[in-house]
Amino acid sequence: MSRFVVIGGANVDIMGIADQALRSQDSNPGTIRTTLGGVGRNIAENLARLDEAVSLVSVVGDDSFGRWILKQGRECGVDMRWVRSLPGQRTSAFLAILDPDHDLHSAIADMSILHQLDQASLQPVLNSLKRGDLLICDTNLDPELIRWIVTEAPCPLAMDPLSASKSEKARPILNRLTYFKPNRAEAERLCGFPIQTPAKIRAALDWFVNQGVKETVLSLGAQGTAVAVGQRRLLMTVDPLPPVNTTGAGDCFFAVYLSFRTQGAAVEDAIESAAAGAALTLSDPLSVSPLLSRQSLALRRGRQSCRWFDLNQI
């Protein structure tokens, strides 16, 4: 793999964590913190912390948040030359309310600046791609732009669908994806049936394979992670951890998985290492843990207990 190129959101995450059960239409005591986020940005920083060559393609406002994003990316080793700073625009922001268990209660995403990404601004990026690169997109982009990118890109593609509603943007281009990482709600929206039992998990993986996705990694929360590669249909479970912060764990999982798979690691090694990365992120208040490294992954993986099930045998 020559390099990773990530096109997607770069924003600030403003998170309010309630001290007790949330009451609607009322002021709730808790803690508020501001960190950097955005799925595209998170994936890029995670890859850089794994010593991968990675470029981020995005837009930010010419404001304090935008300057923070540019500075952090450069310090982490992300190539930020394709991130444009736009005067008079707001940097994307994600405002989240978490319950006392640190699970998402509700959120507002202000991603309107990403409409400034268009074919003209992305053409030089696509012209720079080589067949050995991997292009990663999130679904914050306009659907027409996603379809154009997929048509123009000369290299393998990976996508995170972000949410159940935004996952619809992936439907027309599933047959072009090498790597796809939906969660349960996103996968259910696309395949059209509930995914609860092992038989339904296998059926969902089969559905994505039939759409042309080469590798599907299906996140099922406490139920584990399922993967479809070729004829293989596997489910891995790992002991859950009490989270400090649930924001960003899935982004780290995908980044680690892509890093290991593009380096030739077996699916099992990639999934177990990705689970270790997600656990590291869950234990950190930031959306990307500064402790992430190949060494920390190996140490974390050595302490986790993974169980594998062959879904073709059910």
Side-chain angles (χ1 to χ4, degrees):
M1 182 61 56
S2 298
R3 64 171 176 146
F4 296 86
V5 177
V6 187
I7 305 177
N11 51 261
V12 291
D13 290 339
I14 304 169
M15 292 179 286
I17 306 165
D19 289 340
Q20 56 198 28
L22 284 160
R23 301 183 302 273
S24 62
Q25 299 180 327
D26 197 3
S27 175
N28 290 270
T31 302
I32 297 174
R33 67 170 174 259
T34 303
T35 63
L36 295 186
V39 170
R41 195 212 69 85
N42 289 350
I43 290 173
E45 182 179 336
N46 280 304
L47 286 168
R49 293 189 180 279
L50 295 174
D51 297 321
E52 298 284 8
V54 56
S55 301
L56 177 63
V57 184
S58 192
V59 284
V60 296
D62 184 19
D63 52 25
S64 59
F65 287 155
R67 290 187 286 275
W68 185 15
I69 289 170
L70 291 170
K71 180 174 181 290
Q72 173 75 0
R74 291 168 184 146
E75 290 177 350
C76 292
V78 179
D79 173 14
M80 302 293 283
R81 60 181 154 164
W82 300 113
V83 181
R84 291 186 295 147
S85 178
L86 305 179
Q89 297 283 334
R90 291 190 310 276
T91 296
S92 297
F94 179 73
L95 176 64
I97 303 297
L98 308 182
D99 65 21
D101 294 325
H102 294 253
D103 288 328
L104 182 65
H105 177 270
S106 58
I108 295 175
D110 179 2
M111 311 295 289
S112 59
I113 193 174
L114 287 178
H115 295 309
Q116 302 299 318
L117 285 174
D118 55 19
Q119 293 184 17
S121 62
L122 293 181
Q123 188 67 67
V125 178
L126 298 185
N127 290 344
S128 76
L129 292 171
K130 298 178 175 61
R131 292 189 181 276
D133 296 336
L134 180 67
L135 180 61
I136 306 167
C137 293
D138 69 34
T139 51
N140 280 314
L141 307 176
D142 292 332
E144 297 80 9
L145 188 62
I146 291 174
R147 288 194 289 271
W148 175 79
I149 290 170
V150 167
T151 301
E152 295 290 315
C155 61
L157 295 160
M159 177 167 280
D160 187 315
L162 299 187
S163 70
S165 59
K166 290 181 179 179
S167 68
E168 288 292 339
K169 298 180 186 180
R171 189 183 295 276
I173 52 92
L174 288 172
N175 66 333
R176 277 284 283 116
L177 297 180
T178 299
Y179 305 101
F180 188 53
K181 191 197 74 65
N183 63 22
R184 191 196 308 273
E186 294 154 0
E188 288 178 342
R189 174 69 173 259
L190 288 168
C191 69
F193 54 83
I195 305 171
Q196 298 293 335
T197 66
K200 288 297 186 181
I201 295 171
R202 185 185 64 190
L205 294 176
D206 288 343
W207 188 88
F208 284 107
V209 169
N210 290 335
Q211 302 308 303
V213 181
K214 292 181 176 61
E215 295 194 19
T216 301
V217 180
L218 175 54
S219 175
L220 298 164
Q223 201 172 359
T225 302
V227 60
V229 178
Q231 299 300 315
R232 306 183 75 193
R233 308 288 185 268
L234 302 172
L235 174 66
M236 187 207 74
T237 63
V238 64
D239 295 334
L241 292 172
V244 172
N245 172 28
T246 57
T247 304
D251 305 334
C252 183
F253 187 104
F254 200 26
V256 174
Y257 181 82
L258 293 174
S259 174
F260 275 69
R261 284 295 284 157
T262 54
Q263 291 188 16
V267 170
E268 292 88 344
D269 288 339
I271 291 289
E272 291 190 10
S273 296
L280 189 69
T281 308
L282 285 168
S283 302
D284 198 291
L286 301 177
S287 57
V288 177
S289 173
L291 300 178
L292 180 66
S293 66
R294 295 196 177 275
Q295 182 179 15
S296 66
L297 282 180
L299 291 172
R300 175 74 66 163
R301 184 179 172 186
R303 296 198 299 266
Q304 69 186 10
S305 177
C306 299
R307 296 165 293 278
W308 286 91
F309 305 91
D310 186 348
L311 294 172
N312 286 327
Q313 300 301 315
I314 63 173

